[in-house]
Every structure is written in structure tokens, then in C-alpha cells.
Amino acid sequence: MSYILILGGTLLVIYSVRMLDRHMRASLSHIVDTFTAVKNGNIRQNQISTPFVAQEQLAKLNELLRSFSLSEQHYQALFGATVDGVMIVDERMNIVLANQAVSQLFGYTTQELTGSSINMLLPDHIKNSHDHLASSFMKHPAHKPMGHRPILEGKHKCGEHVPIEISLNPMPGTTDKQVAVIIRDARLRFQYQSKIQHLLQFDTLTELPNRRLFEDRLVQAIARASNNNHQVHLILLGIDGFKTVNDVLGHATGDRILSTLAKRLSENLGEHRTIARIGGDEFAIIADEPYSPHVIPVLIDRVQHGIKTPFRDGDQTIKLTGTIGVATYPDDADSADVLLKHADIALLQAKQSGRGKLNFYNSDLIPEVKERLEIDNQLRQALTRAEFKVHYQPIVELKTANIVSAEALLRWTNEKLGPVSPDRFIPVAESSGMIHELDHWTRRMAFSHVQCWNEMHKPISIAVNLSAVDFEQETLAGDIIQLLNESGLNPASVSLEITESMLMKDPAQASETLRQLRAHGVHIAIDDFGTGYSCLAHLQKLPVTRLKIDRAFVAGMLKEQNARKIVEAIIKLAQTLGLEVVAEGIETEAQRQALIEMGCVLGQGFLFYAAMPPEQLSELIAYQAGAIMK
């Protein structure tokens, strides 16, 4: 067995008392008195004598007392070094003993604390309730572990309130019901809890509310609107082509753009309004003021200004656009989750119309949106599943029908949707940013195929379309040149097809991109010439080498005099400028003969060939090469 003795507030533990014989156990009280005398300096350890203890046992007692002295030193070291505050409090709630941690926590010296009432460490407003609770506890003391009691308030010497956690531990063997109080500073815990709460509710990059906090605030806004009979407008902003920014300029640049945009939105719309980042490149704004119908046009204008203002990143200027979808409570939805869903649909409807568009929710267009969502979902996995193929529609000499070139066309057959036409999936790919990946893959495959045919002595050139979104990349020329170098293909074997509308958004950048490509030997063709923003200045300023007559003019030229005149004019214009001209959509022999008579040399259409897999085209040009040699 062991005894725990408390002498003058000092804990003394005597281990293995069984080692003492009957006489020594009988004289235990004398040992305690002797230890107290030693502790107070009245006698030294080797001066112990007792009538109850045989002389031969004195050495053993002195050895025990030396161990008691060491235990006392160890205890004092542990008591002083512990991080938590430790106090011993008596039945009258006076502090008997306090360690240095208590002193640091409350600002008092240990001398000031010793003998003082514990009430000096409590705020005035809880002293009375604490006295009542302390009195009840002392009547029936029991262990109260930390974590099972609420956070309490303590008071620093300077008057500042300090959050603390405590545990109460009744001390056995004391005559005045002393209690050991363990005190822990809860301020660091509060800081951690506050930080965790912030991380749970705010976006770490932009410091805007995240989706979780946004949804909670949307629920509250709708509750207020329901009680006060006013509207809530939900505005969603999606950054167009943001995936390209991350892929081309890097995620660090993308993050800086998002942070800058978040600051602009907060400044333009007001910090009192909920502006949240709810997706990678998607922001949400809640407008729930009673006068919000009149404010919405202003808010939308400010949102558009925030995204359209060029972003500076180092020596780069980055121009972006944003698509906006708007839904309104209670007109479009009767709950927060439905309102968010319908705002998402409005955003998708806007993206269908092109970049930088605005759209208010329209339930009539939901079937189209659902199809678009399904295409977008399947499209994201199509490359991984090898669902895309590059087919080729031959371009022939009209007089001989010999194949001289081919236009590369992307084809997609999905395991769930079946064959999906380019008219359906290309707009989705452009709005989602996937078009860059698809265009890059198409060019790489086309260059590889043509190089293979050329090495097999089946010379043929290739025409590849550039998308409007892809054409906006400043790195486009460099990317294409790199692909040509990797494939080993002669750049003169490649013709890149663009539409006139693609030149209108940023003519200066478009001109520079085309000049870089032409300087490398690549040919440039204007597709669907005469149908867009036709401008003869383009032919003068841009390094164009080929014009393609739109199929609509070819289809109508035998029926409508004006269509025929337009076709003749384009052919003569091309001849005058020394450009090649290709007629598209030739489907009848009469159209072919009419084009030959007008002086058109090249053409393509179902009269000759539909688009076909590369294996079939390879066989055709091999057969043609053999026939020519014969």
C-alpha cells in the first residue's frame, strides 16, 4: 500500500510502506513529524532518532527520507513546468498554492495569488453564481474532468476577460477539503475553432463565401423575401474559357485572375451584398433588396465591367468574357435549391448563345439544356474512351476529279448518345473550354496521317479548321508550329481554315497569328467566304492563300441569278488576287460544269466523296497514284 501525505501544501508520496516492520509502521506519525522538521531546517536527516525505532533501522529511515526529499524536488519541478495552470484551493475558496502557469495566465505573481480568494480571478458578473456552485461542490466533492464543463470566463489582473477550461480534482487525505484545480487557456482553442469555421465557410483563394455559406445565405434571403413579400434575384457568372487560361498560362496565373475578379466584384457590388465563389470559375451574387428589380440592370452591368476589364499579370494583358444567368424568386422558383438549379440552367442557356451573353431563366428551353448537359457530361470522357475519330472529305480538281487535298473533320460516336453531329457537340465544347483539347488532338492526328501518306508516296495536302475559341489563344501559332515539327510534316502541306467572323473580335491579334503561321509556310484559307463580315480589306491585309465559296451560294447558283453572280464574283476576285478558290457543297453534275465554266478549279461535295475514315482515303489516293502512273 501507499500513503499520500499533504504537509503544508506539499505533496509527499511514501511508496511501499510494507517494507517497514511493525515498530516502524507504529511510528509513522513520528516519521511525518521528523520529515516536517527536516523540511523546515530544524534538524538534518542524519540526526533522526526515535524511541520507537531500533538503532539498526535508522539508516533505512534516513534513506527513505532522502528519497522523500528527491520526490519533493521532482514534484516541485513538475508542478512548476506544467503548461496548464495548477492551483490548490481550500474549502473557503482561498488559493493555497499556484504554479507559474496560473501567474502568467492571470497576471498576478504567485505570492499575490497565495492566500487570496479565487474570486479575484473571476469577472464580477459571475462571482455570486460561482460562490453558490463552489459551496455545493465542497459539500459533495467529485472529480470533474476537463471537456465536460462549458468554457468559463476568468479575469486578468488588467481587467481583460480570459476564456478558460477547468477540471476539479478533490485531494484525498486533506483535513480541509482541498481541491486541485487544473486551468487551461482556451484562447488558442477559440482561435483554432474560429479558423476552422472560416475555412468551412469561406473560399481560401478569394476570401469570398464558399458554396456552403452561400446556400445558407440564399435560404435566409428567401425566408426574408417570403415574410416581406419581395423578390430575390440570383445572378450566376461563369468565366468563359477559363480552363484555357489555366492550361496555357498556368494555375498560378488563373488563381491571381480569380482573386482580382473577386476584389472587383466586391468593390463594384458592395461588400454588404453576398458575393460567393461556388465553383472553379463560377461566382454567385444574391440581390434581395426590396428594390432589387430596379437594381438588377445596374448590378449586371457592374458584373460585366468587372470581367471585361483586362487583367494584368506581369507583362501579360489577359482579356476575358463572362456569361451570366439570372433566376428570380418567386417567379422562377419557390425554394433556394430550385432557384439555384434554375439559375444554373439560365447560365447554360446563355452559354449556348455564345461567349459574354446574358440570359434570364426560361422554362421553355429546359429540354435543350438537358441535352446540352448530357453532351457536356459525355464529352468530358470521350477522349479518354477513344470515341473521337478524324474523317476526311477529299478536295478534288473539278475537271479530273483527282484528289489533291482533304479537309479533316472531327467525328464523335458516344456509347450512350450514339453518333453526335459537330453542330451539337462543338458549341458545348467551346463553352466548356474542351474545344482546345479537341482541336489540338485533331491537328495532331491529321498531321500524323498526312505525313504517313506522303512517306508512302501518296502526296496530299490537308485542310484543318480552327475554332473561334481556339483562335483567341496567343500561343496558337507556336502550338501549331510545334506540332508540325513533331510530325515532320512540310508546313506547305497544311491549310488552316478560318471564318471572317473570327477576325472581327481582335483583328490585330488575328493578323499577327496568321502572319506567324504563313511565315512558317502554312497556307491560310477563309472558309464560307461571303457569308460573314465580308471585308475586302481582310484580303489586302491578311496573308490569305485560299477562298472557299459557301455551299449556300453553290446550292442556289443554278436557281437564283444573284447567287450565281456572287459565285462568279468570288472566283474572279480570287483569280485577280492570285488566290486558290474551292467551291463547297457540290452535289450535282450541273453544278460542277457551271463552276468549271466560271473558272473554278477545286471543289468538294457529295458529288465526289463524303467524309471518310483515314483508311478509306489512303486506299483512294493509293489507287489514284497507281492509275496516274499507268
Side-chain angles (χ1 to χ4, degrees), residues 144-160:
K144 302 289 185 181
M146 196 173 294
H148 291 268
R149 298 173 61 85
I151 299 294
L152 303 177
E153 271 191 320
K155 186 177 74 172
H156 192 273
K157 186 177 182 179
C158 69
E160 177 187 354

Side-chain angles (χ1 to χ4, degrees), residues 68 92 122 131 146 233 250 253 296 304 348 431 487 550 620:
F68 299 157
R92 294 175 298 279
L122 301 174
D131 288 342
M146 196 173 294
H233 296 277
T253 296
I296 285 299
Q304 290 174 329
L348 286 169
S431 64
S487 67
D550 186 74
L620 277 175

Side-chain angles (χ1 to χ4, degrees), residues 44 226 256 488:
R44 295 189 299 273
S226 177
R256 286 190 288 271

Side-chain angles (χ1 to χ4, degrees), residues 92-147:
R92 294 175 298 279
M93 291 293 104
N94 292 326
I95 301 170
V96 177
L97 195 65
N99 70 351
Q100 191 62 31
V102 177
S103 175
Q104 293 174 350
L105 181 59
F106 292 101
Y108 295 96
T109 65
T110 53
Q111 289 79 11
E112 290 175 311
L113 291 168
T114 303
S116 300
S117 170
I118 197 171
N119 277 348
M120 72 184 293
L121 305 180
L122 301 174
D124 294 338
H125 68 279
I126 65 171
K127 286 181 179 178
N128 290 337
S129 60
H130 177 265
D131 288 342
H132 175 72
L133 292 172
S135 176
S136 299
F137 176 80
M138 283 303 186
K139 291 177 183 179
H140 305 285
H143 176 57
K144 302 289 185 181
M146 196 173 294

